[in-house]
Amino acid sequence: MNGFGQTVTLSIFGESHGPAIGIVLDGLPAGEPIDEAELQRQMARRAPGASPLATSRKEPDAAEILSGFFNGKTTGAPVCAMIRNTNTRSGDYTPTLPRPGHADLTAFLKYGGHADYRGGGHFSGRLTAPLVFAGGVCRQILERRGIVIGAHIQAIHNVWDDRFQSPTAEQLHHLTHMDFPLLCGARREAMEKEILTAKQDGDSVGGVIECAAVGVPAGLGSPFFGGMESRIAAMLYAIPAVKGVEFGAGFAMAGLYGSEANDPIRAGKTGYYTETNQNGGVNGGIANGMPIVVRAGIKPTPSIAKPQKTVDLATGENAEVETAGRHDPCIVPRAVPVAEAGLAVCLLDALLSG
Amino acid sequence: MNGFGQTVTLSIFGESHGPAIGIVLDGLPAGEPIDEAELQRQMARRAPGASPLATSRKEPDAAEILSGFFNGKTTGAPVCAMIRNTNTRSGDYTPTLPRPGHADLTAFLKYGGHADYRGGGHFSGRLTAPLVFAGGVCRQILERRGIVIGAHIQAIHNVWDDRFQSPTAEQLHHLTHMDFPLLCGARREAMEKEILTAKQDGDSVGGVIECAAVGVPAGLGSPFFGGMESRIAAMLYAIPAVKGVEFGAGFAMAGLYGSEANDPIRAGKTGYYTETNQNGGVNGGIANGMPIVVRAGIKPTPSIAKPQKTVDLATGENAEVETAGRHDPCIVPRAVPVAEAGLAVCLLDALLSG
Amino acid sequence: MNGFGQTVTLSIFGESHGPAIGIVLDGLPAGEPIDEAELQRQMARRAPGASPLATSRKEPDAAEILSGFFNGKTTGAPVCAMIRNTNTRSGDYTPTLPRPGHADLTAFLKYGGHADYRGGGHFSGRLTAPLVFAGGVCRQILERRGIVIGAHIQAIHNVWDDRFQSPTAEQLHHLTHMDFPLLCGARREAMEKEILTAKQDGDSVGGVIECAAVGVPAGLGSPFFGGMESRIAAMLYAIPAVKGVEFGAGFAMAGLYGSEANDPIRAGKTGYYTETNQNGGVNGGIANGMPIVVRAGIKPTPSIAKPQKTVDLATGENAEVETAGRHDPCIVPRAVPVAEAGLAVCLLDALLSG
Amino acid sequence: MNGFGQTVTLSIFGESHGPAIGIVLDGLPAGEPIDEAELQRQMARRAPGASPLATSRKEPDAAEILSGFFNGKTTGAPVCAMIRNTNTRSGDYTPTLPRPGHADLTAFLKYGGHADYRGGGHFSGRLTAPLVFAGGVCRQILERRGIVIGAHIQAIHNVWDDRFQSPTAEQLHHLTHMDFPLLCGARREAMEKEILTAKQDGDSVGGVIECAAVGVPAGLGSPFFGGMESRIAAMLYAIPAVKGVEFGAGFAMAGLYGSEANDPIRAGKTGYYTETNQNGGVNGGIANGMPIVVRAGIKPTPSIAKPQKTVDLATGENAEVETAGRHDPCIVPRAVPVAEAGLAVCLLDALLSG
């Protein structure tokens, strides 16, 4: 079970150090022009760059579109995009020593030792590149329908950005053009310091990403298992390192009274709206027309340089591992476009599913 | 899209004030004995009882099994259970005044005014009764395979219980027999006081539920969209009032270093284990054999007695609503068996999906 | 895996001699008025009647709608319909002697002896009653969109009716009001004679049903596994006793030249059409706007009064079985509304899936 | 909706004249060795060859495995295979003149003129190459579990081969190594003559393929929509040009008495079996352990050299089309491995779905 979606469906394939990674994106409307430069820009947001904050592994992440695209537009047939793996250093990984916090051990146990362990194989964070491709296609289609998605870094380690108040299309659009997207830019220095300190220690840090979508028409989603929150959470939890997902006030709801948590409904010129958005744009699984606001808690990158306790899968004995490879001391900045992409796929799928 | 599951599938139906609610539960193994008394006990845990903490609506919630059950065992064919609605007071609801925080408005907008609005209709919390039935069946099957599920109230308003440290089958089993399940029973008085205070004010409070499952074999789940976290989160978000879901350290991961978040792997007598469980039993979407620990943030019951701002759907004008019906001032205690049930369905589905 | 459908989904439950049978029909548009008398008329077409051609088991087949229906219209929430089993004679069945040609043996082997064997259990032809209910709802919705479905008995044993030439809405509508629907009524006597002869011999006969749908908009369906033929065939093969499904010229295509099989395309006043309809309204899985024409080959009722070779499942030894129960000597006339119902569900699902 | 499968899933992509075609095959067990030479042999069976009976378009159909394969074995992660399109002559196709009998017109209508029309685009028979790849992988896995699949040409135009009587693994294996598989080799000359005559006339002919699988364990499949016949029919109808699918006696059931159609059940040394196999190995959707026998009726290749009536999509006027490209005068021989491949995928999916 690797697929996602009701109308717009995804099928992700590939391993970190195999020939290629990619995605099949099906169910798109036909005749949608796709701006390939903008698509590539989205891909570049996720790609490891020149920043000292990220891994030094350089990959162009150039996606080749193999199908479903003709004369600059979608054809209605499945879109397959493939990204060749070019810059792989398999020697960095010791197959028999699973890295704590990563999927090495679970992949080994699930697949009876047959998993491609190199660089995390199918479980590598690199597999989020195809998801960014898919999201990049979907968000162009969504934008033509007035739906805009954006996100910011809400926390890195213990440094917090503000929360979204009333996000607008302009604000979200602006955030997607920032290389370190924050609502309050003054927090950047402290956040970067957290990352660099961790890096110097051979360690890593986690954080929180807050995403929003505006222009979402009321009525999207289905009751119960097809609710917007169920769909979006399932998508976000497919992104490696996500360990928490909350909507609107989220866990803070626990400390509220109903009279605080209930968003007062008002009649506006273009329809009903709520004065607050504690519910993050969703009631009973159905979008209510307010901005959808969702946060993802991201754990620290599991790959760290410090020696860690593990086992030797060849001998079954206790052992120690140091991960010598090129790794991000903090995955949060690069995960921002991934979370946005996931949200884009969910919204287009729900929109087209009626 | 109302269905759930890959191998074990659910289809929920019904409205709060219609003839009946129920569920079709398919994909169960054949030949599984089902203890109907235990099933009824699970149903009773969710049913509104004599407690002043809950709604005064009394319904026996007696499920009639219509199919898939023969000579005390599952047959392999779909199990349908139906619960008649008997104690309905539709007059309590004013159809044209949507209750803030509830799905009244979104249901109205999605279905063009055709939704059965009585008592929240299909979006009523009452629809969780069939889910408890399904979970009750699944957990009996799971227990014969060594998997035990339990949960406790972790917070009500601002009163917090402890977190699970190393949950055991005995501990979880014990919790499922408590009417107000807590790890630290001394918190009960303060929690109940929060609920009663809110009730006296015509208000309501939220909270947090923490669930755990032990005995889950390593290897359950699939990469990406079929990961255990994606499956469980999609299920829990189908429960009305859930606004946050996190696994293991969850959002607290944001403040950790990798060296704290990575669970050290060790070789034990019966297999590998981790010294800590910051990842809540899941890595890369795959169960690692440690207890699965998941928390759900629950918002305050939207139905409160205080006057609230809303709109009149008949006129499109601003209006005010007071909800006079019988409502829970805090849904958290009754939601505990619901969350457990959802987790049970997810685990059996993953177990049988290989 | 008991479900069907992409947008409009079905979940069938029940056993022939259990408490009830029924169906959950989800994904319907909201606000669709349903004429319950017409629905009941469709159910009655399938129900065993007073005719000497059918089983003498009398069941009113009165469906109780449990959900999804309010003020005479669909609400958008799942519709569950339940039919109580009232007239059961379990003594007619010997559990340990599987009837040849029926699913008794396969159910026993699949479910390890735990299947409800009474009257065929979940595999009974009686389970088609819920499907007729679902189809009855769908066809009312389809008719408001100009899509009309009908069918006729094309063969019983070796007596053949004509084939559809250019079916019209009027013709199809008319057929659904005939108790023994034929294009050429003169064949009825010979067909009835075949059935009665078989009955007198304690035997049974098979036949062919030809269904058509007119008004189907061009473009319905998806490439490959979501093609109209794949969807419709999967549905028709879910009807017990169907052993062949063909579209348009079907197997007769084998004997044609391309110049005969290719339907010439012409420009008409209201769109393109084809001069012939050898392809039965579908090209490449996509509806082409011409009538969809599909035939189902139906095997003789497996339950016959003659002694047959079987095994005794209790002893594992060879044995003999005579089926003493009340059975149809020919299922074909009662299967006509079932096949129509299946086609209706497929078409509404494809229509709403875009 | 382009996907197939419950546990083993397929996602096909590509267009005849685009960059590449391919497939994602997910849900395979890990650790299965795949003989790539045998896989390539299966691909070669479908590829257009040197025979004057087939198209002169030469393509090596070399599949590159991009993922899911490591050290000669499956890893458990999705397998993606890609086939580059190299020998394309787009000039052969006039985009505005849809070829009768092909999907040109329906693709145009469905996708609003945005389909990639070159060479049939996504609807091209060339898209069956990835399916043969997938089937080639699945059948190797099946064979290690004792399940063998084979097929023969049962008819070309009006020349008929025998039907399977009691197919054996050896017989089926032998058939897969014949370039023109027949049970009665003496029919080959007459069949080839039919094809060549049609070719000389600028015409084409259809036929019938009969597939069988032996070693299928009793119990595979699910009731209703998950029945083996529903699954297999949905798969076979995804193969372009299939217009009929029947199991066992199929449509000939119409002319049988129940006493002829019911397969007598007997106790054998290794389990129960039936003396005849009129039901083609399936009862009530569940495999009964006898050989599964299924026939597919194939229409004549729509692309013929003769002038045909069509419309000009640019002007909306009537027009005429002659298809000058390189086409098969009869697709049946090349469709044999495609049908086998489809059956293999269905069987492995059902086997792993329990």
Side-chain angles (χ1 to χ4, degrees):
Chain A
M1 196 170 106
N2 206 305
F4 179 89
Q6 180 179 3
T7 299
V8 175
T9 61
L10 299 184
S11 188
I12 288 181
F13 61 85
E15 287 85 33
S16 181
H17 292 211
I21 60 175
I23 197 162
V24 181
L25 170 62
D26 195 11
L28 296 178
E32 294 287 338
I34 300 300
D35 178 339
E36 291 190 75
E38 167 61 18
L39 199 52
Q40 203 54 44
R41 189 182 74 78
Q42 292 291 348
M43 301 287 289
R45 292 175 64 203
R46 193 213 70 93
S51 163
L53 304 175
T55 171
S56 60
R57 174 174 172 175
K58 297 288 170 295
E59 296 228 353
D61 272 2
E64 183 188 3
I65 300 179
L66 299 180
S67 66
F69 199 61
F70 184 51
N71 292 334
K73 294 179 181 170
T74 57
T75 64
V79 172
C80 180
M82 178 188 66
I83 303 166
R84 288 278 178 193
N85 290 322
T86 53
N87 187 344
T88 57
R89 280 207 226 155
S90 298
D92 287 349
Y93 302 91
T94 312
T96 62
L97 299 178
R99 295 164 293 167
H102 215 297
D104 293 350
L105 181 61
T106 51
F108 176 84
L109 294 171
K110 180 171 188 65
Y111 299 122
H114 298 292
D116 178 351
Y117 52 79
R118 299 169 299 167
H122 187 54
F123 294 87
S124 166
R126 180 157 166 71
L127 269 285
T128 57
L131 184 56
V132 172
F133 174 90
V137 171
C138 291
R139 64 200 300 168
Q140 293 190 26
I141 298 172
L142 287 169
E143 284 180 19
R144 277 193 287 276
R145 287 152 177 81
I147 301 173
V148 177
I149 291 166
H152 68 104
I153 298 168
Q154 198 186 345
I156 283 184
H157 207 218
N158 292 312
V159 182
W160 289 79
D161 190 19
D162 299 335
R163 286 198 170 192
F164 278 126
Q165 296 303 316
S166 298
T168 63
E170 292 68 31
Q171 181 188 28
L172 297 178
H173 194 253
H174 182 60
L175 284 168
T176 70
H177 284 79
M178 297 169 72
D179 66 337
F180 199 94
L182 291 170
L183 297 182
C184 173
R187 315 290 161 81
R188 180 168 182 163
E189 195 178 326
M191 286 182 175
E192 290 191 350
K193 193 175 163 194
E194 292 281 355
I195 298 173
L196 291 174
T197 300
K199 189 182 181 183
Q200 281 155 14
D201 290 354
D203 215 326
S204 63
V205 286
V208 176
I209 293 168
E210 187 178 47
C211 299
V214 299
V216 179
L220 252 58
S222 308
F224 289 97
F225 313 109
M228 290 311 303
E229 292 158 318
S230 289
R231 293 167 187 240
I232 294 170
M235 170 59 82
L236 293 180
Y237 273 118
I239 301 172
V242 170
K243 297 304 284 189
V245 172
E246 62 177 7
F247 293 83
F251 278 96
M253 281 288 196
L256 298 181
Y257 287 109
S259 54
E260 298 166 313
N262 291 343
D263 300 303
I265 306 172
R266 299 281 81 183
K269 286 180 183 167
T270 59
Y272 303 123
Y273 69 96
T274 59
E275 287 184 347
T276 55
N277 191 16
Q278 303 275 29
N279 284 278
V282 186
N283 290 109
I286 314 293
N288 63 17
M290 297 297 290
I292 290 183
V293 179
V294 57
R295 271 176 302 282
I298 312 285
K299 71 178 183 182
T301 323
S303 297
I304 59 176
K306 290 189 170 175
Q308 297 183 87
K309 291 181 187 172
T310 188
V311 290
D312 188 322
L313 297 172
T315 65
E317 301 292 319
N318 284 332
E320 203 169 78
V321 66
E322 293 177 51
T323 311
R326 303 157 294 176
H327 299 290
D328 296 275
C330 180
I331 201 70
V332 176
R334 290 179 60 200
V336 168
V338 180
E340 290 173 19
L343 186 55
V345 173
C346 289
L347 289 174
L348 185 61
D349 182 36
L351 187 71
L352 298 179
S353 298
Chain B
M1 196 172 104
N2 205 305
F4 179 88
Q6 180 181 1
T7 298
V8 174
T9 60
L10 300 184
S11 188
I12 288 181
F13 61 86
E15 286 86 32
S16 181
H17 293 211
I21 60 176
I23 198 162
V24 181
L25 170 62
D26 196 11
L28 296 177
E32 294 286 339
I34 300 301
D35 177 339
E36 291 189 75
E38 168 61 17
L39 199 52
Q40 202 54 44
R41 189 183 75 78
Q42 292 290 349
M43 301 286 289
R45 291 175 65 202
R46 194 214 70 92
S51 163
L53 304 175
T55 171
S56 60
R57 175 175 173 175
K58 297 287 171 294
E59 297 227 353
D61 272 2
E64 182 187 3
I65 301 178
L66 299 180
S67 66
F69 199 62
F70 184 51
N71 292 336
K73 294 180 181 169
T74 58
T75 64
V79 172
C80 180
M82 178 187 67
I83 303 165
R84 288 278 177 192
N85 291 322
T86 52
N87 187 344
T88 57
R89 282 207 224 154
S90 297
D92 286 348
Y93 301 91
T94 313
T96 61
L97 299 178
R99 295 165 292 167
H102 214 297
D104 294 350
L105 181 61
T106 51
F108 176 85
L109 293 171
K110 179 169 188 66
Y111 299 122
H114 297 292
D116 179 350
Y117 51 79
R118 299 169 301 165
H122 187 54
F123 294 87
S124 166
R126 181 160 166 69
L127 270 285
T128 57
L131 184 56
V132 172
F133 173 89
V137 171
C138 292
R139 64 199 299 168
Q140 292 190 28
I141 298 172
L142 287 169
E143 284 180 20
R144 276 193 287 277
R145 287 153 178 80
I147 301 173
V148 177
I149 291 165
H152 68 105
I153 298 168
Q154 198 186 346
I156 282 183
H157 207 217
N158 292 312
V159 183
W160 289 79
D161 190 18
D162 299 335
R163 285 198 171 192
F164 278 126
Q165 296 303 316
S166 298
T168 62
E170 293 67 32
Q171 181 187 28
L172 298 179
H173 194 253
H174 182 60
L175 285 169
T176 69
H177 284 78
M178 297 169 71
D179 65 338
F180 199 94
L182 290 171
L183 297 182
C184 173
R187 316 290 162 81
R188 180 168 182 163
E189 195 177 326
M191 286 183 176
E192 291 191 349
K193 193 175 163 194
E194 291 282 354
I195 298 174
L196 291 173
T197 301
K199 188 181 182 184
Q200 282 155 15
D201 290 354
D203 215 327
S204 63
V205 286
V208 176
I209 293 168
E210 188 178 46
C211 299
V214 299
V216 179
L220 252 58
S222 309
F224 291 96
F225 313 111
M228 289 312 303
E229 293 159 319
S230 290
R231 293 168 186 240
I232 293 170
M235 169 59 81
L236 293 181
Y237 273 119
I239 300 172
V242 171
K243 298 303 283 190
V245 172
E246 62 177 8
F247 293 83
F251 278 97
M253 281 287 196
L256 299 181
Y257 287 108
S259 53
E260 299 166 311
N262 291 345
D263 300 304
I265 306 172
R266 298 282 80 182
K269 288 180 182 167
T270 59
Y272 303 123
Y273 68 95
T274 58
E275 287 184 347
T276 56
N277 191 16
Q278 304 275 29
N279 284 277
V282 186
N283 289 110
I286 313 294
N288 63 17
M290 296 297 290
I292 289 183
V293 179
V294 57
R295 273 177 300 282
I298 312 285
K299 72 179 183 182
T301 323
S303 297
I304 58 176
K306 289 190 170 175
Q308 297 183 86
K309 290 181 186 171
T310 187
V311 290
D312 187 323
L313 297 171
T315 65
E317 300 292 320
N318 285 332
E320 203 169 75
V321 66
E322 292 176 53
T323 311
R326 303 158 294 175
H327 300 289
D328 296 275
C330 180
I331 201 70
V332 176
R334 292 179 59 202
V336 168
V338 180
E340 289 173 20
L343 186 54
V345 174
C346 289
L347 289 174
L348 185 61
D349 182 36
L351 188 70
L352 298 179
S353 298
Chain C
M1 196 173 106
N2 206 305
F4 180 88
Q6 180 180 2
T7 299
V8 176
T9 61
L10 300 184
S11 189
I12 288 181
F13 62 86
E15 287 85 32
S16 181
H17 292 211
I21 59 175
I23 197 162
V24 181
L25 170 62
D26 196 11
L28 296 177
E32 294 286 338
I34 300 301
D35 177 339
E36 291 190 75
E38 169 61 17
L39 199 52
Q40 204 53 45
R41 189 182 75 77
Q42 292 290 351
M43 301 286 288
R45 291 175 66 202
R46 194 214 70 93
S51 163
L53 304 175
T55 171
S56 59
R57 174 174 173 175
K58 297 287 170 295
E59 296 225 354
D61 272 1
E64 182 188 3
I65 301 179
L66 298 180
S67 66
F69 198 62
F70 185 50
N71 292 335
K73 293 180 181 170
T74 57
T75 64
V79 173
C80 180
M82 177 188 65
I83 305 167
R84 289 276 178 194
N85 290 323
T86 52
N87 186 345
T88 57
R89 281 206 224 155
S90 297
D92 287 349
Y93 301 90
T94 313
T96 61
L97 299 178
R99 296 163 292 167
H102 216 296
D104 294 349
L105 180 61
T106 51
F108 176 85
L109 294 171
K110 179 171 189 66
Y111 300 122
H114 298 291
D116 179 350
Y117 51 79
R118 299 168 300 166
H122 187 54
F123 294 87
S124 165
R126 180 160 165 70
L127 270 284
T128 57
L131 184 56
V132 172
F133 173 89
V137 171
C138 292
R139 63 200 300 168
Q140 292 190 28
I141 297 172
L142 287 169
E143 284 180 19
R144 276 194 288 277
R145 288 152 177 80
I147 301 173
V148 177
I149 292 166
H152 68 104
I153 299 167
Q154 198 186 346
I156 284 183
H157 207 219
N158 292 311
V159 182
W160 288 80
D161 190 18
D162 299 335
R163 286 197 170 191
F164 279 126
Q165 295 304 315
S166 299
T168 62
E170 293 69 31
Q171 181 189 26
L172 298 178
H173 194 253
H174 182 62
L175 284 169
T176 70
H177 283 79
M178 296 169 71
D179 66 336
F180 199 94
L182 291 171
L183 298 182
C184 174
R187 314 290 162 81
R188 178 167 184 165
E189 194 178 327
M191 286 182 175
E192 292 191 349
K193 194 175 162 192
E194 292 282 354
I195 297 173
L196 291 174
T197 301
K199 187 182 183 184
Q200 282 155 16
D201 289 354
D203 216 326
S204 62
V205 286
V208 177
I209 294 168
E210 187 178 47
C211 299
V214 299
V216 179
L220 253 59
S222 308
F224 291 98
F225 312 111
M228 291 310 304
E229 293 158 319
S230 289
R231 293 167 186 242
I232 294 169
M235 169 59 82
L236 293 179
Y237 273 118
I239 302 172
V242 170
K243 298 302 283 190
V245 172
E246 62 177 9
F247 293 83
F251 279 96
M253 281 288 195
L256 299 181
Y257 287 109
S259 54
E260 298 166 313
N262 291 343
D263 299 303
I265 306 171
R266 298 283 80 183
K269 288 179 182 168
T270 58
Y272 303 123
Y273 68 96
T274 59
E275 288 183 348
T276 56
N277 190 17
Q278 303 275 29
N279 283 277
V282 186
N283 290 110
I286 314 294
N288 63 17
M290 296 296 292
I292 290 183
V293 179
V294 57
R295 272 177 300 282
I298 313 285
K299 72 179 183 182
T301 323
S303 297
I304 59 176
K306 290 188 171 177
Q308 299 182 87
K309 290 181 185 171
T310 189
V311 289
D312 188 321
L313 297 171
T315 65
E317 301 292 319
N318 284 331
E320 202 169 77
V321 66
E322 291 177 53
T323 312
R326 303 157 294 178
H327 299 289
D328 296 275
C330 180
I331 201 70
V332 176
R334 290 180 60 200
V336 167
V338 179
E340 290 173 19
L343 186 54
V345 174
C346 289
L347 289 174
L348 186 61
D349 181 36
L351 188 70
L352 298 179
S353 298
Chain D
M1 196 172 106
N2 205 305
F4 179 87
Q6 181 180 0
T7 299
V8 175
T9 61
L10 300 184
S11 189
I12 289 181
F13 62 86
E15 287 86 32
S16 180
H17 292 210
I21 60 176
I23 197 162
V24 181
L25 170 62
D26 195 10
L28 296 178
E32 293 287 338
I34 300 300
D35 177 339
E36 291 189 76
E38 168 61 17
L39 199 53
Q40 203 54 45
R41 189 183 75 79
Q42 291 291 349
M43 301 287 289
R45 291 176 66 204
R46 194 214 70 93
S51 162
L53 304 175
T55 170
S56 60
R57 175 174 172 176
K58 297 288 170 294
E59 296 225 354
D61 273 1
E64 182 188 4
I65 300 179
L66 299 181
S67 67
F69 198 61
F70 184 51
N71 292 334
K73 293 180 182 170
T74 57
T75 64
V79 172
C80 180
M82 178 188 66
I83 304 166
R84 290 276 178 194
N85 290 323
T86 53
N87 186 345
T88 58
R89 280 206 226 155
S90 297
D92 287 349
Y93 301 90
T94 313
T96 61
L97 299 178
R99 295 163 294 168
H102 215 296
D104 294 349
L105 180 62
T106 51
F108 177 85
L109 294 170
K110 179 170 189 65
Y111 298 122
H114 298 292
D116 178 350
Y117 51 80
R118 299 169 299 166
H122 187 54
F123 294 87
S124 165
R126 181 160 165 69
L127 270 286
T128 57
L131 184 56
V132 172
F133 173 90
V137 171
C138 292
R139 62 200 301 167
Q140 292 190 27
I141 298 172
L142 287 169
E143 284 180 19
R144 276 193 287 277
R145 287 153 177 80
I147 302 173
V148 177
I149 292 166
H152 68 104
I153 299 168
Q154 197 185 348
I156 283 182
H157 206 218
N158 291 311
V159 183
W160 289 78
D161 189 19
D162 299 336
R163 287 198 169 190
F164 278 125
Q165 295 303 316
S166 298
T168 63
E170 293 67 32
Q171 180 187 28
L172 297 178
H173 193 254
H174 182 61
L175 283 169
T176 69
H177 284 79
M178 297 169 71
D179 65 336
F180 199 95
L182 290 171
L183 298 182
C184 174
R187 314 291 161 80
R188 178 167 183 164
E189 193 178 327
M191 286 183 175
E192 291 192 348
K193 193 176 162 191
E194 291 283 354
I195 297 173
L196 291 173
T197 302
K199 187 182 184 185
Q200 282 155 15
D201 289 354
D203 216 327
S204 62
V205 286
V208 176
I209 293 168
E210 188 178 46
C211 299
V214 299
V216 179
L220 253 59
S222 309
F224 291 96
F225 312 112
M228 290 311 302
E229 293 158 318
S230 289
R231 294 167 186 240
I232 294 170
M235 170 59 82
L236 294 180
Y237 273 118
I239 302 172
V242 170
K243 299 302 284 188
V245 172
E246 62 177 8
F247 293 83
F251 278 96
M253 281 287 196
L256 299 181
Y257 287 108
S259 54
E260 298 166 313
N262 291 343
D263 299 304
I265 305 171
R266 298 283 80 183
K269 289 179 182 167
T270 59
Y272 303 123
Y273 69 95
T274 59
E275 288 185 345
T276 55
N277 191 15
Q278 303 275 27
N279 284 277
V282 186
N283 289 109
I286 313 294
N288 63 16
M290 297 296 290
I292 290 184
V293 179
V294 57
R295 273 176 299 282
I298 312 286
K299 71 179 183 181
T301 324
S303 297
I304 59 176
K306 288 188 171 178
Q308 297 183 86
K309 290 181 186 173
T310 188
V311 290
D312 187 322
L313 297 172
T315 65
E317 301 291 321
N318 285 331
E320 203 168 75
V321 66
E322 292 177 52
T323 312
R326 303 157 294 175
H327 300 289
D328 296 274
C330 181
I331 201 71
V332 176
R334 290 180 59 201
V336 168
V338 180
E340 290 173 19
L343 186 54
V345 173
C346 289
L347 289 174
L348 185 61
D349 181 37
L351 187 71
L352 298 179
S353 298

